[in-house]
């Protein structure tokens, strides 16, 4: 995010008392900034916990928040040298933990249930085959020194990849039907 954009937002979130010239009180406004800043720090910390046999449910969230806070202040392109940091205007850093294949599988299953409930695709693959087809399209990165793999995009691309699989199946089904129709004409 360009630093200039953060400076524009600063007007709205900096502490000030409403006056006649500034009648609106923005102090109760919530701004949410989503970023990949700190992703490496979060993955390294998750990997450290994994090697220490700490279950994901037992991760110390404060460690992740601190790692994210440090990374956002120090990483190029983060909030480095932003007035938001200098003036201590960021209330919380909320880390999104990296997702493993099993988590992505759950995302796919949920999205598939929604699609099957609302859309009427013709397909011949089983639910497991569809899930496996989608998961094969998702990019994963391997943590530095282990066999641990994390999704590069979390669950963000699941819906698009699922629709791609369904569209591919529809296209293949149409080609098969056309071939059958064309072969019937020959008889």
């Amino acid at each position: 995010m360009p630093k200039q954009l953060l400076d524009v937002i600063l007007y709205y979130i900096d502490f000030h008392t409403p006056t006649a010239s500034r009648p609106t009180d923005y102090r109760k406004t919530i701004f949410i900034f989503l970023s990949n800043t700190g992703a490496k720090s979060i993955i390294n910390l998750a990997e450290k916990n994994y090697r220490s046999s700490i279950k994901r449910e037992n991760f110390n969230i404060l460690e992740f928040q601190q790692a994210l806070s440090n990374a956002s202040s120090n990483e190029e392109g983060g909030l480095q040298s932003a007035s938001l940091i200098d003036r201590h205007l960021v209330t919380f850093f909320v880390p999104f933990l990296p997702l493993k294949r099993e988590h992505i599988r759950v995302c796919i299953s949920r999205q598939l249930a929604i699609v099957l409930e609302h859309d009427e695709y013709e397909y011949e693959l089983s639910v497991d085959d569809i899930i496996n087809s989608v998961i094969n399209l998702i990019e994963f990165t391997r943590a530095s020194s282990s066999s641990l793999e994390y999704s590069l995009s979390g669950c963000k691309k699941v819906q698009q990849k699922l629709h791609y699989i369904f569209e591919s199946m529809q296209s293949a089904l149409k080609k098969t039907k056309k071939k059958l129709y064309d072969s019937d004409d020959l008889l």
Side-chain angles (χ1 to χ4, degrees):
M1 180 182 315
K3 184 181 180 290
Q4 296 81 6
L5 179 60
L6 291 174
D7 289 340
V8 170
I9 295 169
L10 184 64
Y11 167 79
Y12 296 101
I13 60 177
D14 201 359
F15 297 106
H16 67 275
T17 305
T19 63
S21 62
R22 289 200 218 176
T24 307
D25 185 1
Y26 292 102
R27 288 179 289 184
K28 292 186 179 185
T29 304
I30 297 173
F31 289 87
I32 299 173
F33 303 102
L34 296 176
S35 171
N36 286 337
T37 301
K40 287 182 182 180
S41 299
I42 290 171
I43 287 174
N44 290 339
L45 189 52
E47 182 182 13
K48 179 185 135 209
N49 285 336
Y50 175 78
R51 283 193 308 259
S52 299
S53 300
I54 298 172
K55 291 183 180 179
R56 183 183 178 92
E57 304 82 47
N58 297 328
F59 284 179
N60 181 348
I61 197 69
L62 295 176
E63 283 182 310
F64 285 90
Q65 288 175 331
Q66 187 61 50
L68 180 57
S69 174
N70 291 339
S72 66
S73 299
N74 297 320
E75 278 185 19
E76 185 71 31
L79 297 173
Q80 186 180 39
S81 73
S83 298
L84 291 172
I85 296 298
D86 298 342
R87 295 183 186 189
H88 304 285
L89 296 175
V90 177
T91 307
F92 292 104
F93 287 92
V94 180
F96 290 91
L97 298 179
L99 300 177
K100 298 187 288 188
R101 283 186 187 272
E102 64 203 51
H103 302 116
I104 301 301
R105 194 172 282 282
V106 170
C107 292
I108 297 168
S109 296
R110 287 181 180 161
Q111 189 62 42
L112 180 58
I114 292 168
V115 169
L116 294 178
E117 183 179 320
H118 298 292
D119 291 337
E120 304 202 359
Y121 284 101
E122 279 186 58
Y123 60 94
E124 295 179 10
L125 293 176
S126 69
V127 168
D128 283 339
D129 288 341
I130 294 170
I131 291 171
N132 289 332
S133 297
V134 173
I135 210 159
N136 288 336
L137 296 175
I138 303 291
E139 294 176 82
F140 288 86
T141 184
R142 190 170 300 281
S144 60
S145 63
S146 71
S147 61
L148 204 54
E149 285 186 319
Y150 294 114
S151 168
L152 288 175
S153 59
C155 289
K156 289 180 205 171
K157 296 182 179 180
V158 165
Q159 184 177 14
Q160 293 88 345
K161 302 290 185 177
L162 185 59
H163 285 291
Y164 170 79
I165 293 297
F166 277 124
E167 293 300 326
S168 298
M169 287 189 296
Q170 288 291 92
S171 178
L173 189 61
K174 285 179 185 176
K175 286 179 184 175
T176 302
K177 285 182 178 180
K178 183 173 177 0
K179 283 182 185 177
L180 289 174
Y181 178 76
D182 291 345
S183 65
D184 283 348
D185 285 347
L186 295 175
L187 298 175

